[in-house]
Amino acid sequence: MEKHGAEGRERSYRKAAVRRAEILARAIELFAERGVGASLRAIGEAIGVSHAALRYYFPSRDELLVEVYRAHEQGEHDDPPPDSVSAVGVMERSAERNRTIPGLVELYATLTTDALQGEQHPLTRDFVRDRFRMVREHLAERVRVGQRAGAIAADIDPDDAASLVIAASDGLQLQGLLDPEAVDVRRALALLERLLPPSPSPHVEHRERT
């Protein structure tokens, strides 16, 4: 009896996880096409899910927005850039990916704006703060790799450089979204990469020594 009950609960959990993933995928498509300007009820109507069902899987609009962006970024985590790519190059790859889905750039801007209103959006604040910390740590380590390889000046603070790269990438993407004809994100980031160039590949270093 207990075994059948446990199996039933497990099937129910699996079914719920699949349904949640389906709703999340449809929400990502919606935000990519139309941006974020809608209530939770309107989002449910647009993706063909009842408001009650949407609230069951995502109790608040904040939770849905955070999960949509987290799922979007998972694609980058599943396909990380090579170690030789610079800190600037990492953000350039991300910006290029975002450029094809401007609605998700708008989502990111919404999340960062909401995060500043911590009392009204504590979940979003924690997500954005933790994401910034994680990205800073990742980029700072790329800067340290470049310093050990002699490609980046030793007196540059890796954490400050990482913060600068994030600020440049975020700001340029917003400017590009508002005025795409005037702002070339890739070209502007290339200027910053002169200060923080990529590390030479092991093959290049080997050829130079031989």
Side-chain angles (χ1 to χ4, degrees), residues 1-8:
M1 189 76 148
E2 290 183 4
K3 179 181 178 182
H4 291 305
E7 290 175 349

Side-chain angles (χ1 to χ4, degrees), residues 24-38 43 60-73 98 101-115 124 127-128 131 170 173-174 177:
L24 193 58
R26 292 167 74 180
I28 290 173
E29 292 175 359
L30 174 69
F31 291 163
E33 293 174 2
R34 306 186 193 177
V36 195
I43 292 168
S60 69
R61 183 173 179 271
D62 281 8
E63 184 170 338
L64 177 61
L65 298 188
V66 165
E67 290 303 317
V68 164
Y69 199 80
R70 184 177 279 131
H72 162 62
E73 283 205 314
N98 291 343
I101 37 179
L104 289 174
V105 179
E106 181 187 334
L107 169 58
Y108 177 73
T110 299
L111 289 172
T112 53
T113 300
D114 288 352
T124 304
F127 168 73
V128 172
R131 178 187 176 277
D170 285 4
Q173 287 185 73
L174 288 176
L177 191 62

Side-chain angles (χ1 to χ4, degrees), residues 179-199:
D179 196 354
E181 298 300 320
V183 178
D184 188 317
V185 176
R186 173 176 288 181
R187 191 174 64 220
L189 285 176
L191 293 176
L192 184 56
E193 196 168 35
R194 295 181 186 178
L195 177 65
L196 303 167
S199 303

Side-chain angles (χ1 to χ4, degrees), residues 147-167:
Q147 288 175 322
R148 289 194 291 268
I152 298 175
D155 60 350
I156 290 178
D157 183 278
D159 296 313
D160 289 346
S163 297
L164 178 61
V165 172
I166 294 170

Side-chain angles (χ1 to χ4, degrees), residues 40-89:
L40 201 61
R41 186 180 299 276
I43 292 168
E45 292 174 356
I47 63 178
V49 177
S50 71
H51 184 243
L54 191 59
R55 286 292 300 270
Y56 175 78
Y57 291 103
F58 302 97
S60 69
R61 183 173 179 271
D62 281 8
E63 184 170 338
L64 177 61
L65 298 188
V66 165
E67 290 303 317
V68 164
Y69 199 80
R70 184 177 279 131
H72 162 62
E73 283 205 314
Q74 187 60 47
E76 295 182 19
H77 298 156
D78 292 340
D79 181 28
D83 293 341
S84 59
V85 174
S86 70
V88 178

